Amino acid sequence: MNKIIYTEQQMNTLNNRQQKEVEIVNNLHFITIKDLANTLNVSEMTARRDCAQLANQGLIKQVYGGITSNIPGKTPNYIVDSEIKKNTIIKEKIAAKAISLLAKDEVFFLDSGTTAAAIAKLLPRDSSYTIITPSFLAIELLVKLDQSSIICPGGIYLNKPRVFYNQESANLLRQYRASKCFIGATGFDINQGITCGYFEDVPLKQAMLDCSQERILIIDSSKFDKVSTCVFTNLTTFSAIITDEGIPQAYRDFITSNGIKLYIA
């Protein structure tokens, strides 16, 4: 666990709640104001006021969509180039199952990440969909679809996750509605929630989740019992999960006991 070393002056100005807020942000790397307020059972106004003070002291950073750690050297642990080579056969099985759930001419959101890219790769060339995605990795593959429409919010290009992002990207995604979204994750822990590797991804994922009728998590079994840098949602946000047969029994039970559909690819 990373720890901040406070100066005596900082210690004198922080109350117990604010110290807890800094600890939460450092452990999760990113959290929204709403989730922080819910975690501590305080109002969003209180959490927002605390975070403004903590940011002024240099203990956290305020970013679009929430707050993030200010610990030097604390960086996301997900790099697409290394993930592409992992569990490719499993990801393609998950992708094939996801595609089987699509109807002709369906409108759907497609997240960033290599499992989402596997969906883009396996879609038949004559597919007729409207696909909304911030993922450059997916777009590179989707351009082969002669009969489909591709919508991208654009923005600043981040190379490691291969995603287009800026402060307006999430707002642009929220202008659209889809029958389904396929959302990836780099970690799923029963206690810590569902996580991703970059805080820039969080508002994009949340926008796609909020604007979809069916919310489907696509995740290979190596991600269970893992925690990445940024919590972006919890299990009950999703209507279904697609994974592989390596999923631990504890997670099978946890998912089904919450009434979530579980597809084993």
Side-chain angles (χ1 to χ4, degrees), residues 139-154:
I139 290 170
E140 285 184 300
L141 298 163
L142 292 171
V143 292
K144 70 183 182 185
L145 306 180
D146 300 327
Q147 306 302 317
S148 290
S149 299
I150 305 166
I151 300 172
C152 175

Side-chain angles (χ1 to χ4, degrees), residues 122-171:
L122 294 183
L123 285 169
R125 189 181 184 91
D126 61 352
S127 298
S128 178
Y129 302 114
T130 298
I131 305 157
I132 310 164
T133 180
S135 170
F136 178 73
L137 187 62
I139 290 170
E140 285 184 300
L141 298 163
L142 292 171
V143 292
K144 70 183 182 185
L145 306 180
D146 300 327
Q147 306 302 317
S148 290
S149 299
I150 305 166
I151 300 172
C152 175
I156 298 168
Y157 176 66
L158 300 178
N159 188 53
K160 287 184 178 180
R162 296 195 187 175
V163 171
F164 288 105
Y165 169 85
N166 65 10
Q167 292 190 356
E168 298 303 318
S169 299
N171 292 336

Side-chain angles (χ1 to χ4, degrees), residues 52-256:
Q53 178 183 332
L54 295 170
N56 286 335
Q57 293 180 257
L59 298 174
I60 63 171
K61 290 188 291 187
Q62 291 181 304
V63 297
Y64 178 68
I67 48 178
T68 189
S69 172
N70 203 25
I71 297 177
K74 186 172 178 65
T75 57
N77 56 10
Y78 178 89
I79 300 175
V80 165
D81 285 339
S82 63
E83 290 294 321
I84 287 175
K85 304 172 185 177
K86 297 179 181 177
N87 301 321
T88 54
I89 295 176
I90 289 174
K91 289 174 183 177
E92 288 184 356
K93 288 182 178 180
I94 292 171
K97 181 60 183 178
I99 292 170
S100 75
L101 301 178
L102 290 169
K104 183 181 179 182
D105 299 326
E106 194 156 10
V107 179
F108 65 94
F109 287 107
L110 186 61
D111 195 14
S112 58
T114 54
T115 307
I119 294 176
K121 178 182 177 181
L122 294 183
L123 285 169
R125 189 181 184 91
D126 61 352
S127 298
S128 178
Y129 302 114
T130 298
I131 305 157
I132 310 164
T133 180
S135 170
F136 178 73
L137 187 62
I139 290 170
E140 285 184 300
L141 298 163
L142 292 171
V143 292
K144 70 183 182 185
L145 306 180
D146 300 327
Q147 306 302 317
S148 290
S149 299
I150 305 166
I151 300 172
C152 175
I156 298 168
Y157 176 66
L158 300 178
N159 188 53
K160 287 184 178 180
R162 296 195 187 175
V163 171
F164 288 105
Y165 169 85
N166 65 10
Q167 292 190 356
E168 298 303 318
S169 299
N171 292 336
L172 287 171
L173 286 174
R174 288 183 181 277
Q175 294 181 13
Y176 298 98
R177 296 294 182 269
S179 53
K180 291 183 176 70
C181 66
F182 296 102
I183 303 295
T186 51
F188 182 170
D189 181 86
I190 288 175
N191 297 313
Q192 297 296 325
I194 301 173
T195 52
C196 61
Y198 290 85
F199 69 79
E200 293 93 345
D201 272 343
V202 173
L204 301 177
K205 290 176 182 289
Q206 291 175 340
M208 291 185 282
L209 288 165
D210 288 346
C211 296
S212 300
Q213 290 178 307
E214 292 183 60
R215 306 171 185 92
I216 302 169
L217 178 65
I218 48 173
I219 183 171
D220 70 78
S221 60
S222 70
K223 309 295 176 57
F224 289 102
D225 214 26
K226 300 286 179 62
V227 178
S228 192
T229 47
C230 311
V231 174
F232 68 92
T233 194
N234 56 48
L235 171 65
T236 55
T237 301
F238 293 98
S239 50
I241 293 176
I242 308 174
T243 188
D244 60 90
E245 59 187 12
I247 178 176
Q249 185 63 46
Y251 283 86
R252 289 178 185 249
D253 296 341
F254 180 60
I255 292 166
T256 55

